[in-house]
Amino acid sequence: RTTLQDLESRAGVGTTGGGTIIPIKDVIRMAAHATHYLAVKEDITARKEADEAVRRRKETMERDLASARLVQQSLLPAHLPVDGRVRSAYRYVPLDAVGGDFISLTVLREGGFGVFVGDVVGHGVAAALHVSMLNVMSDRVCRSRGRSPGEYLLEMNRRLQEADSSVEVIPDKVIHLTG
């Protein structure tokens, strides 16, 4: 058991907040008469609830983005067309969870391939949604207009204008492989 003499012999003195040195027995005596208060400066319950709501919303958005990424990856060609004259391969690595890059390789009924590589301006969800629309649209248009790159692009532009007047196909390279 520690006694006052033990404390004095080991510590000897105490220092107040103002820097005054006093014997340890006076420190103990003053502490015995001190009144302790607990005060609540502000209620942070609402802030904690808001933080929790933001955390839950962020988790939901992250799950939604992961699902969107799986959907977008499923739209990419699972198997590339095979032809003795042409070898094809691609690698898709979006900058964000989802992105605005697009590739379509379609075997045409009349023979040959339809190849469409697109890049929607921007990144993220909006670009990914436009890419999904382009994917479906390109597949449909390629089946009816795939033999003529000019007709293909005109029809893509017409359909895009109907869907969203702010979108336009701007060709970079048109590749037409015939049988």
Side-chain angles (χ1 to χ4, degrees):
R1 180 168 186 188
T2 305
T3 66
L4 180 57
Q5 288 176 341
D6 293 333
L7 288 173
E8 285 178 341
S9 67
R10 291 187 188 135
V13 294
T15 306
T16 66
T20 305
I21 296 175
I22 57 174
I24 197 70
K25 67 180 177 183
D26 292 337
V27 171
I28 293 170
R29 182 180 47 77
M30 290 187 311
H33 300 301
T35 304
H36 301 281
Y37 294 96
L38 175 62
V40 176
K41 182 178 176 202
E42 64 182 295
D43 185 358
I44 61 169
T45 304
R47 185 174 58 181
K48 290 278 191 187
E49 289 170 352
D51 288 350
E52 179 61 20
V54 167
R55 185 193 62 75
R56 283 192 310 268
R57 182 68 182 139
K58 183 176 182 249
E59 286 176 355
T60 299
M61 288 173 51
E62 287 172 354
R63 280 193 307 273
D64 288 350
L65 278 174
S67 293
R69 182 180 183 111
L70 290 174
V71 168
Q72 191 172 41
Q73 287 175 339
S74 75
L75 295 174
L76 294 169
H79 304 290
L80 298 175
V82 177
D83 182 279
R85 301 167 297 147
V86 177
R87 288 188 310 172
S88 58
Y90 72 90
R91 181 173 178 207
Y92 179 71
V93 183
L95 180 66
D96 296 322
V98 291
D101 299 317
F102 170 76
I103 184 169
S104 173
L105 292 96
T106 306
V107 176
L108 303 175
R109 284 184 280 233
E110 306 85 10
F113 295 98
V115 179
F116 182 72
V117 178
D119 184 1
V120 175
V121 175
H123 302 282
V125 175
L129 288 171
H130 277 97
V131 160
S132 297
M133 179 178 66
L134 271 175
N135 190 339
V136 171
M137 204 176 285
S138 175
D139 187 53
R140 290 178 183 160
V141 172
C142 190
R143 298 202 187 287
S144 63
R145 305 265 200 295
R147 297 289 288 173
S148 169
E151 287 181 27
Y152 169 85
L153 291 172
L154 285 172
E155 182 63 14
M156 284 292 288
N157 265 330
R158 188 190 68 71
R159 290 185 184 205
L160 283 168
Q161 290 294 309
E162 287 176 4
D164 182 349
S165 62
S166 68
V167 178
E168 183 179 13
V169 173
I170 302 171
D172 180 27
K173 292 181 181 53
V174 176
I175 303 167
H176 185 215
L177 306 171
T178 59

